[in-house]
Amino acid sequence: MKIRLCIGMAVGAFVFGIIIDASGRKGSIPATMIAVFCATISLSFAQTTFLIYLSIFVLGLGLAGNNVVLRVYVIEFLPMKRRGFCLVALDVLGVIGYVSALGLSWLLMPSIVRLQNKKFRPNSWRVLIGLGGIPNLIMACATSLLPASPRYLLYRRRYEEALTVLRQIYAINNSKHADTYTLRTLDNCVRPDEEDEEDTGNVSKIVWKFYIKTRKRIRKICSTPFKCTTILGLCINLLQFPGIIWVALWNTQLFQETENFNKSAKKNSTCVVDIENLALGFLHNCQEIDTDRFRILFYLSLSYILGEILLLIGIDVIGRKIFLVLSGLVGTAACLGLLFTVHNIVQIVLSLIILAAYAIGRTTTSILLLENYFTGVRGTIIGLSRIFPYLVGSFTKLFLNIQCLTSIYIMSGILLSAAVAGSRMPDLTRLPMQE
């Protein structure tokens, strides 16, 4: 299931990334939310393996697509001085949603035995999935009322529509009538581009033109002056392949395995982190849930919120690059600190630091990529940067079975490498975005 979800996310991120560069941002936001809604409802009532797998794939498609579309859309509306703050606020809400879902799972998720006689129970996992999907339909209706991105309209030389959106923003922000907006025309403020051509003809020709334009965009981001930034951005995103959920699961199991290892009377016992225990470790047996493990995971996950709040406060003051480098260095130091302590309290504090540093690095990397590319390729680069982390993460988790010590070295290497690569990224804090 995990592989199908990750493949769906890899496909969704890239496909929606290139779609929003070809046809605009606004329409794709409700489209991704409807995809998530349909997938969750289908999964809630699925009775066959094929339908479950298909629903999970579509769910990944919508989730990753929405992640890409929403960030590209929002950043094109934000003022220069508050750009970082508002983008971090998106991730703060996302992390709060993850922690809330974790708490809700703790309350509603049953053991397998509770689904007796194949009857539907109010506390089954299907209810949890369905509850998570309903808000997406509501938000899809609400986001359909949003205005189109003025930057994208200007890029496509739709001057009148862009001016109308800017007047609406001016009227709302200043509580004045739109007619008092001083700018009267945007004609000839953007140089012509080959993408201004309208897509006409039959379906095969439209698809072929779409392919040709997508290939041109990928070539642009892989050539000067974006070549170095693209390589660094792809590398940093690849290094962050585990994802916040799996890093929290790893840290939880590492804490419990280390604690059991220190208490063990067998000196030849081995501390191991493997994929089976990451998931099944939450059950003592088919009838009893390991509440201690759930509690540790929940409390450790709160550090994500702490990290995002710290980033929220300082990203527009200190700068993106400094946060990325410092988070990597501090996280690396905390990982290495785990090797030299056996005290539970110290281990918990170091674990909190590691998770907070990881969250800060992920959010900062996303903002750096969004700011360093112009409107015509912004969706493509974000979608492209998501492909390898999802695919590598899914296949890595399939065969994860390593010693605790090795996993700590790997995590410290990930954080340190991201810090080194991030030190070479251009920083546009309090500066205009690339256009």
Side-chain angles (χ1 to χ4, degrees):
M1 286 189 183
K2 181 63 181 176
I3 290 182
R4 288 162 182 80
L5 179 65
C6 289
I7 292 176
M9 294 179 81
V11 173
F14 181 67
V15 168
F16 278 102
I18 60 178
I19 285 176
I20 62 176
D21 280 342
S23 59
R25 287 68 161 119
K26 176 186 173 181
S28 294
I29 299 177
T32 56
M33 290 184 169
I34 290 173
V36 173
F37 170 76
C38 293
T40 53
I41 297 302
S42 173
L43 189 58
S44 296
F45 293 96
Q47 299 297 324
T48 63
T49 303
F50 173 76
L51 188 55
I52 290 175
Y53 286 163
L54 179 62
S55 300
I56 289 173
F57 177 81
V58 176
L59 180 62
L61 204 76
L63 287 174
N66 183 260
N67 185 283
V68 170
V69 176
L70 199 58
R71 278 158 177 72
V72 174
Y73 176 83
V74 169
I75 199 172
E76 294 180 351
F77 277 89
L78 298 175
M80 184 171 59
K81 294 181 180 180
R82 305 292 290 173
R83 202 163 56 217
F85 177 91
C86 295
L87 286 172
V88 175
L90 279 180
D91 279 351
V92 171
L93 296 174
V95 169
I96 291 174
Y98 154 68
V99 174
S100 301
L102 185 60
L104 192 61
S105 299
W106 192 356
L107 297 175
L108 296 182
M109 283 291 284
S111 65
I112 300 173
V113 172
R114 291 185 187 178
L115 297 177
Q116 297 175 354
N117 300 322
K118 299 182 180 180
K119 292 182 180 179
F120 186 85
R121 301 290 179 175
N123 63 343
S124 76
W125 62 269
R126 298 179 184 274
V127 174
L128 183 62
I129 295 293
L131 289 175
I134 293 173
N136 285 278
L137 181 61
I138 299 172
M139 292 307 299
C141 298
T143 54
S144 64
L145 303 176
L146 292 172
S149 165
R151 282 181 179 266
Y152 184 79
L153 292 174
L154 280 173
Y155 176 75
R156 298 305 294 264
R157 303 181 73 201
R158 290 152 62 177
Y159 300 125
E160 288 300 322
E161 295 177 57
L163 186 58
T164 300
V165 173
L166 292 174
R167 283 174 175 166
Q168 290 175 354
I169 295 172
Y170 167 81
I172 294 171
N173 289 347
N174 297 279
S175 299
K176 295 181 179 180
H177 197 277
D179 291 340
T180 61
Y181 189 53
T182 55
L183 191 60
R184 298 298 177 186
T185 180
L186 295 171
D187 293 347
N188 301 320
C189 70
V190 178
R191 70 170 183 265
D193 188 273
E194 66 272 12
E195 293 201 16
D196 293 330
E197 302 173 5
E198 291 293 329
D199 290 331
T200 55
N202 57 35
V203 175
S204 60
K205 287 184 178 180
I206 293 174
V207 171
W208 178 251
K209 287 182 180 180
F210 179 79
Y211 165 75
I212 294 297
K213 291 179 180 179
T214 299
R215 191 173 64 179
K216 287 181 179 179
R217 294 190 195 100
I218 294 176
R219 283 181 178 175
K220 285 181 181 179
I221 62 180
C222 293
S223 59
T224 307
F226 302 109
K227 185 177 181 179
C228 182
T229 305
T230 300
I231 294 173
L232 290 172
L234 293 178
C235 289
I236 296 173
N237 274 276
L238 180 58
L239 288 168
Q240 296 168 344
F241 70 87
I244 61 171
I245 296 176
W246 285 90
V247 171
L249 288 172
W250 163 76
N251 222 318
T252 301
Q253 185 177 356
L254 180 67
F255 177 78
Q256 285 196 322
E257 289 291 331
T258 305
E259 186 178 22
N260 295 335
F261 177 77
N262 293 332
K263 292 179 180 178
S264 176
K266 298 179 180 179
K267 301 303 181 182
N268 60 346
S269 60
T270 305
C271 176
V272 177
V273 176
D274 66 89
I275 190 66
E276 183 178 352
N277 283 338
L278 281 179
L280 297 181
F282 289 98
L283 295 174
H284 287 306
N285 50 56
C286 290
Q287 298 180 352
E288 188 179 356
I289 296 175
D290 187 349
T291 55
D292 289 337
R293 192 181 185 94
F294 252 116
R295 189 180 295 110
I296 293 171
L297 177 61
F298 180 78
Y299 290 147
L300 287 180
S301 297
L302 292 176
S303 63
Y304 286 139
I305 299 178
L306 176 62
E308 296 289 358
I309 290 175
L310 290 175
L311 189 60
L312 195 71
I313 295 171
I315 190 167
D316 286 322
V317 178
I318 299 175
R320 289 80 158 117
K321 185 190 292 188
I322 294 176
F323 256 112
L324 180 57
V325 174
L326 284 179
S327 67
L329 295 177
V330 172
T332 302
C335 282
L336 297 177
L338 289 175
L339 302 174
F340 302 101
T341 182
V342 294
H343 298 290
N344 287 348
I345 296 178
V346 177
Q347 288 178 341
I348 290 175
V349 171
L350 292 176
S351 296
L352 293 173
I353 293 173
I354 293 169
L355 297 187
Y358 182 81
I360 289 173
R362 277 178 62 90
T363 300
T364 308
T365 302
S366 177
I367 295 173
L368 283 170
L369 280 177
L370 285 166
E371 291 179 333
N372 276 286
Y373 292 86
F374 64 94
T375 300
V377 299
R378 192 169 288 127
T380 302
I381 183 59
I382 296 299
L384 192 64
S385 69
R386 298 286 198 269
I387 295 177
F388 298 112
Y390 289 137
L391 295 180
V392 172
S394 65
F395 289 107
T396 302
K397 293 156 194 168
L398 250 184
F399 308 103
L400 179 64
N401 191 337
I402 55 178
Q403 293 187 1
C404 297
L405 186 64
T406 305
S407 70
I408 293 174
Y409 283 132
I410 291 174
M411 180 55 67
S412 61
I414 287 173
L415 294 171
L416 182 60
S417 301
V420 173
S423 65
R424 307 297 300 172
M425 290 282 286
D427 190 351
L428 297 180
T429 303
R430 297 185 296 278
L431 294 173
M433 289 194 299
Q434 287 280 4
E435 285 298 351

